[in-house]
Amino acid sequence: MTSSGLRAARPRCAARRLSGRVARVLLGGAGVVWLVLPGMTINSGTAVAVTDTRPVTATTAPRHDETSPGYLALPLVAVGTAGVLAGYTYVRRTRRARTRTTPGGGPARPSAPWRSPPPSAELDRHSTELITLADDWVRTSREELGFAEARFGAAPVEPFDRAVREAEAELAAACRMRDRYDHGVPEDAAARRQALAGVVGRCEEAGRLLDAEAASFDELRGLERGSADALRVAEARFRELAGRTGTAASTVTGLRERYGPAAVASVTGHVELAKDRLLLATSRLNRAHQSADAGDPASAARHLRVAEGAIAQIEVFVRGVERLAEELPAAEHLVPAALSGAEADIEAVRHAAESAAAELTAGSRPGPGRAGAETAGASGAAPAPVPGASSVVVPVDVAAGELRARVTHADLELAHVRVRAEPAAGPYDPLDALRRIVRATAPVGTRRSGVLSAAEELVARSALAAADDFVGTHRGAVGATARIRLAEARRLLPTDPQTADVLARQARDLAEQDVRLHGNPSAATSDPSAGATAAVLGGILLAEDPDGGPPACYGGPRTRGRRRHPGPS
């Protein structure tokens, strides 16, 4: 029998023993009563001699053994009293056996070990939702701020620009905290819950900063009083972007022919999306004019804000094409120099590794700066510079065999890039070529300066800008994870461009997945006007009402609540 079975059997055995004791007590009490009963029922009076002068007869009167009713009740009372006492004793001992905590007293109720409550799923969900919302608040505030600056200049909008910068800092801190949380930092349950609360607090503070300036910003723009000046600014920008959109279409065609389809993948569809936003802006500008002419400034302001949001995204699409047209030739010009610099660094590392291996074979201790010196690595020595290659620092804690393998792999990658970069090989993506050069040489040495550092930064900035453009123009469907990766890439760009490049590409991939899962947002709006679906997908309309909801604007959560339009125009 197991220990748990023995523990379970103890109460039953104790109960049987107690019932046996009670039975013996009752039987013993009954025996004692019956033993004493005869003495209790005999007449205890003493005989007294009586003087009688009459003659005594020979006949004796018969004796009568009669019992009084009191004598019969006495044994019953005794037996009842004994039974009551025995029952009381049994009940008391049973209760004590059930509640006893000593080893022989039956199973005591185990106390559950204290555990700190796990992070709330509701708090977890709320923190990611707030990151998404706060990112939207910052982006839309920055967009509308640009139109105000174009009309009034930089000085009048400086307080509102400062509020946006402060909100951006709060959002960046929230994303950093959430990224650490997703990677298991901190580990303690209470600290993790506190970290989630910190994320929520940072996002709410970002919204509060924007809300605090929203009323003054609205007063500066004065759209509800009259939108004629603002309409003129928006239309001038619209006409400029319409011309640039046509140019961007021919630019994409030329880049595709020169560098191949893979080189322009980051801007594929930009021209079509820009044209879609042009339709939306055209429709809303016309409706804004109609509302203003009808004496409905509130409705005119609402349509103008939608048009401004579309115009801002047209500029994102067009600028993305123009930026890529600058990056690809710059990368193409940098590829030969990056290849030469990388090959020189690899050769210097190979020479150092071969020298270190020869010294180890001869039984001598490698001197400072020799690659592959296990003894130096074991002693915790810092990476040693390689003579003749100022941009390379060889990690001395890498074994000679491992370092030779890394050098061989880097040689193969560089040879592949050199073949692809030959004019006879046809079109190729120079940004991807630089990325492969940087990644191939990274395990061999740490670049401190030189052409490889410039290549690293160019690649990372290109990936970061492309990811940021995609998230901003599809923010109605992009979730928090992509935005957190993007924020981390932006944070690491000055200090670790290679990691920033990786995170930016991950953010773009995650954002594209979110858009595919989101599907067609046409069901979110019943507005038949041109571009309404694109407005919902791009976050220009908030999709809170059947007609697409209020337009996004400068401010946080409280400001959005004030953007409910009074009715259809």
Side-chain angles (χ1 to χ4, degrees):
M1 182 179 293
T2 63
S3 60
S4 61
L6 289 173
R7 288 194 298 269
R10 287 173 183 169
R12 295 193 295 269
C13 294
R16 287 196 295 269
R17 288 195 296 269
L18 289 173
S19 60
R21 292 173 183 172
V22 171
R24 288 195 293 271
V25 169
L26 292 177
L27 292 176
V32 170
V33 169
W34 288 111
L35 288 175
V36 176
L37 186 61
M40 297 175 60
T41 56
I42 296 175
N43 189 1
S44 59
T46 56
V48 179
V50 179
T51 304
D52 193 356
T53 58
R54 289 176 301 177
V56 178
T57 61
T59 304
T60 306
R63 298 180 59 185
H64 298 280
D65 190 9
E66 298 177 355
T67 303
S68 172
Y71 294 159
L72 294 177
L74 184 60
L76 296 177
V77 172
V79 171
T81 302
V84 170
L85 292 174
Y88 171 75
T89 303
Y90 171 75
V91 171
R92 183 178 179 184
R93 289 192 177 186
T94 302
R95 289 180 178 175
R96 290 178 60 188
R98 288 178 180 175
T99 59
R100 186 182 299 175
T101 57
T102 53
R109 184 177 182 180
S111 59
W114 180 86
R115 295 179 183 177
S116 58
S120 170
E122 178 67 20
L123 186 59
D124 189 359
R125 181 189 60 80
H126 187 48
S127 67
T128 56
E129 288 180 351
L130 275 180
I131 286 177
T132 302
L133 290 173
D135 189 54
D136 287 348
W137 302 333
V138 169
R139 289 178 182 274
T140 54
S141 297
R142 177 65 69 186
E143 289 173 358
E144 189 173 0
L145 189 66
F147 288 93
E149 185 174 355
R151 179 182 172 188
F152 300 104
V157 301
E158 196 280 331
F160 313 113
D161 182 66
R162 182 173 61 251
V164 172
R165 293 196 306 270
E166 292 174 354
E168 286 174 341
E170 293 292 337
L171 175 61
C175 290
R176 176 59 178 154
M177 294 172 67
R178 179 69 204 201
D179 183 72
R180 287 169 55 83
Y181 176 88
D182 291 337
H183 286 83
V185 180
E187 297 181 356
D188 180 69
R192 287 177 67 78
R193 184 178 180 85
Q194 186 66 26
L196 290 179
V199 172
V200 171
R202 292 280 189 172
C203 293
E204 290 177 344
E205 177 63 12
R208 189 198 64 78
L209 289 169
L210 296 173
D211 280 332
E213 299 292 339
S216 299
F217 183 76
D218 290 345
E219 181 66 23
L220 173 68
R221 297 204 69 190
L223 297 184
E224 280 71 15
R225 296 192 303 270
S227 56
D229 293 339
L231 274 170
R232 283 193 292 269
V233 172
E235 287 172 338
R237 194 168 172 184
F238 171 84
R239 288 190 292 269
E240 176 200 355
L241 288 171
R244 289 168 60 189
T245 300
T247 305
S250 59
T251 300
V252 172
T253 301
L255 293 176
R256 184 180 292 109
E257 292 175 354
R258 180 176 178 181
Y259 298 106
V264 297
S266 61
V267 297
T268 299
H270 272 37
V271 174
E272 290 74 15
L273 292 172
K275 292 178 178 179
D276 193 40
R277 301 300 195 275
L278 283 172
L279 291 175
L280 174 62
T282 301
S283 172
R284 293 298 179 141
L285 287 173
N286 289 335
R287 295 171 72 176
H289 276 294
Q290 294 170 1
S291 298
D293 294 340
D296 188 357
S299 181
R302 179 169 60 89
H303 291 305
L304 176 59
R305 282 194 171 93
V306 177
E308 289 175 344
I311 292 170
Q313 293 193 6
I314 295 169
E315 185 166 6
V316 172
F317 291 127
V318 173
R319 188 181 64 242
V321 174
E322 296 170 348
R323 183 181 60 246
L324 185 64
E326 297 174 356
E327 292 170 348
L328 287 175
E332 184 182 26
H333 178 74
L334 201 57
V335 166
L339 274 172
S340 299
E343 288 170 346
D345 291 345
I346 293 298
E347 183 61 30
V349 172
R350 180 187 292 108
H351 176 73
E354 290 173 353
S355 300
E359 291 183 6
L360 288 174
T361 303
S364 62
R365 179 187 177 94
R370 299 297 188 179
E374 292 88 347
T375 55
S379 64
V386 176
S390 60
S391 62
V392 169
V393 176
V394 178
V396 297
D397 57 346
V398 178
E402 173 66 19
L403 187 58
R404 284 195 298 270
R406 294 182 183 182
V407 168
T408 301
H409 175 74
D411 277 336
L412 294 175
E413 283 292 321
L414 295 179
H416 176 78
V417 172
R418 184 169 289 281
V419 170
R420 291 293 299 137
E422 291 293 333
Y428 78 102
D429 182 0
L431 284 171
D432 182 67
L434 288 181
R435 182 175 288 110
R436 298 186 69 167
I437 293 171
V438 168
R439 291 183 179 179
T441 55
V444 176
T446 304
R447 290 160 302 284
R448 300 293 179 88
S449 61
V451 67
L452 289 180
S453 294
E456 202 174 39
E457 184 175 354
L458 175 60
V459 168
R461 288 189 181 278
S462 176
L464 180 61
D468 188 69
D469 288 350
F470 188 89
V471 171
T473 54
H474 297 79
R475 56 179 177 262
V478 177
T481 304
R483 301 173 194 244
I484 293 170
R485 298 286 174 85
L486 184 61
E488 279 297 287
R490 191 180 295 112
R491 183 182 68 86
L492 293 174
L493 180 62
T495 58
D496 190 358
Q498 186 174 355
T499 303
D501 173 56
V502 173
L503 291 175
R505 290 165 65 84
Q506 289 178 358
R508 173 69 182 262
D509 293 340
L510 290 169
E512 290 178 349
Q513 292 177 18
D514 289 340
V515 173
R516 287 194 296 269
L517 292 174
H518 188 266
N520 186 1
S522 59
T525 175
S526 60
D527 190 348
S529 62
T533 297
V536 173
L537 179 63
I540 301 170
L541 292 176
L542 302 180
E544 296 176 359
D545 294 322
D547 66 345
C553 59
Y554 185 102
R558 290 191 292 111
T559 306
R560 288 192 171 189
R562 297 189 288 107
R563 296 304 183 204
R564 296 296 187 271
H565 54 82
S569 59

